[in-house]
Amino acid sequence: MVADTSAPAAKPSIADYLKNNIREYGLLVALVVIMVFFQIVTNGVLFRPVNITNLVLQNSFIVIMALGMLLIIVAGHIDLSVGSIVAFIGAISAIMLVKWGLPAIVVVPACLIVGGIMGAAQGYWVAYQKIPAFIVTLAGMLVFRGMTYVVLGGRPIGPFPKEFQILSTGFVPDFLSFLNPAPETIKNMVALVAVVILVALAIWSGFRNRRINEMHGSENEPFVFFALQMAVITVVALFIGFQLSTYRGLPNVLVVMGVLIALYSFVTTRSTVGRRIYAMGGNEKAAKLSGINTERLTFYTFANMGVLAALAGMIITARLNSATPKAGVGFELDVIAACFIGGASASGGVGKITGAVIGAFIMGVMNNGMSIMGIGIDYQQLIKGLVLLAAVFFDVYNKNKG
């Protein structure tokens, strides 16, 4: 018997690991750098409790829609109609609430169903009639915007009852006030306790995943990167949690956003449906030959996008306390930009939920910071366009270099 003299495979160095994962770590570093930069140039305004709350309220709908848009981009498609769906759902929710006097508990699920039907209608043409998504959703953008003007008669409708407004402007009540050690400083104990629990869960989950990888012989990220990542997440989360606790606590929309991020992270990383979407985006013909029903999957991704756009539409309408025909104009561009800045590939098959969320917050912090500095909308658009181009160039450059 001949002995096997081959040496075991060399463990990749820290430099190699960083090179292979520069996109993921670069995003986190970019967000932190942008936040620190605007905190300095705005003389500390960016991280004030009231501004952090406004940052969440102003960008929650972008994050929510980015979750659905990421799945569509990963599947190899695009959706240009989300801004118009936002406007139309805002319009019909206003009609149902103000004109028809229906309760919010009926209006909210009804609007989600309508949004799903709108997305499914577009998904049918893309999936089963093989019309390019760009054309279908461009048509949808025009049709749904026109329908919004028809429904509203060209005029805004409002205001709305309080039970509908709490969807966007409400806060989680402080039912843990009896634990508050400093009532004069901390106004909402629930926010602080919730963030501490979430940070502890994140650290526990990180160590658990490393242990599972070791048991299965899978590669773990170098411990120094893991520790640094956990430290940054812990410090930022605790700081933001403390700041929110000194104001009004956790906005309801932040809780909704957090639940959706957790749900879609699970779907994309742990579910069969998620893996099939990535397989379809990577190579649709191969996915089809392997038994995946690509038409049905495409149909579902567009229906899902419609539901999330409907939710975003109600959040925006509730926040503005008025439904207007021009609501949601340009939102599709911010949502798509968030996904591409977050590492999604225009060719499909690549992208992460965490990346899309970070991309959305990069856009949000830039918008908020530049507004505080008094930079005009013209220069804001210019800067955002250059950031998007730089992010996509960075992605293409790394892919070609690899």
Side-chain angles (χ1 to χ4, degrees):
M1 183 181 290
V2 180
D4 183 8
T5 57
S6 60
K11 197 174 182 179
S13 65
I14 291 178
D16 289 337
Y17 187 87
L18 183 60
K19 182 180 177 182
N20 295 333
N21 295 272
I22 190 168
R23 181 77 184 181
E24 185 176 342
Y25 291 108
L27 268 176
L28 193 59
V29 170
L31 178 59
V32 172
V33 168
I34 289 170
M35 290 169 74
V36 171
F37 170 76
F38 280 114
Q39 172 71 355
I40 294 170
V41 297
T42 60
N43 297 317
V45 174
L46 184 73
F47 284 148
R48 286 181 183 170
V50 64
N51 194 60
I52 292 176
T53 301
N54 286 335
L55 198 58
V56 171
L57 297 178
Q58 289 167 4
N59 294 283
S60 57
F61 58 90
I62 298 295
V63 174
I64 288 170
M65 287 192 287
L67 301 176
M69 187 65 75
L70 179 75
L71 295 183
I72 285 181
I73 291 173
V74 165
H77 302 291
I78 201 77
D79 191 343
L80 301 177
S81 68
V82 292
S84 296
I85 293 177
V86 161
F88 181 73
I89 293 299
I92 62 168
S93 65
I95 293 294
M96 287 191 281
L97 287 162
V98 178
K99 301 286 187 182
W100 298 352
L102 295 176
I105 197 169
V106 173
V107 172
V108 171
C111 286
L112 292 177
I113 292 170
V114 172
I117 292 171
M118 294 168 78
Q122 297 183 114
Y124 167 78
W125 294 105
V126 176
Y128 295 104
Q129 300 302 323
K130 305 301 179 187
I131 302 176
F134 183 90
I135 302 300
V136 172
T137 58
L138 179 60
M141 178 175 75
L142 299 172
V143 169
F144 300 146
R145 181 65 60 182
M147 288 166 61
T148 303
Y149 276 94
V150 171
V151 169
L152 292 177
R155 294 174 296 179
I157 293 180
F160 304 121
K162 292 291 183 184
E163 61 265 23
F164 184 72
Q165 290 184 51
I166 61 171
L167 178 66
S168 181
T169 58
F171 292 80
V172 176
D174 187 16
F175 53 83
L176 295 178
S177 57
F178 62 92
L179 296 176
N180 196 339
E184 65 282 353
T185 303
I186 299 173
K187 308 300 182 186
N188 190 296
M189 194 63 187
V190 170
L192 197 57
V193 171
V195 170
V196 169
I197 291 172
L198 289 174
V199 166
L201 284 172
I203 294 172
W204 173 80
S205 178
F207 277 105
R208 178 175 173 271
N209 289 338
R210 288 179 68 86
R211 191 162 58 247
I212 290 173
N213 287 342
E214 287 174 2
M215 288 170 58
H216 291 91
S218 302
E219 179 189 351
N220 268 323
E221 63 184 335
F223 187 76
V224 63
F225 285 114
F226 171 75
L228 189 61
Q229 191 176 356
M230 288 294 110
V232 170
I233 290 172
T234 300
V235 170
V236 171
L238 290 178
F239 174 76
I240 291 175
F242 176 76
Q243 292 292 83
L244 289 174
S245 72
T246 61
Y247 182 51
R248 296 178 65 184
L250 296 174
N252 290 339
V253 73
L254 179 60
V255 176
V256 172
M257 189 171 68
V259 170
L260 288 174
I261 290 170
L263 174 63
Y264 280 81
S265 295
F266 176 82
V267 168
T268 54
T269 57
R270 301 293 178 90
S271 74
T272 305
V273 172
R275 283 193 280 269
R276 286 177 175 175
I277 291 173
Y278 280 88
M280 179 176 69
N283 190 325
E284 186 173 357
K285 288 183 179 178
K288 198 172 183 66
L289 289 171
S290 66
I292 295 174
N293 189 332
T294 55
E295 288 85 5
R296 187 171 60 188
L297 212 53
T298 299
F299 178 80
Y300 285 161
T301 57
F302 277 92
N304 171 73
M305 183 71 254
V307 173
L308 291 178
L311 176 60
M314 287 186 286
I315 288 172
I316 295 163
T317 305
R319 183 167 181 264
L320 297 176
N321 201 22
S322 174
T324 64
K326 292 189 176 180
V329 172
F331 282 3
E332 60 278 345
L333 302 181
D334 280 341
V335 174
I336 292 168
C339 293
F340 284 134
I341 289 172
S345 172
S347 57
V350 178
K352 288 185 176 181
I353 291 294
T354 50
V357 172
I358 292 174
F361 275 111
I362 286 175
M363 295 287 287
V365 171
M366 286 174 57
N367 285 337
N368 187 265
M370 288 189 289
S371 297
I372 294 171
M373 292 171 64
I375 296 175
I377 190 68
D378 46 0
Y379 286 104
Q380 287 190 33
Q381 297 289 351
L382 174 68
I383 293 168
K384 286 196 293 184
L386 292 173
V387 168
L388 174 60
L389 182 62
V392 175
F393 170 76
F394 182 70
D395 184 52
V396 173
Y397 174 77
N398 279 326
K399 192 180 293 182
N400 292 338
K401 193 175 179 183

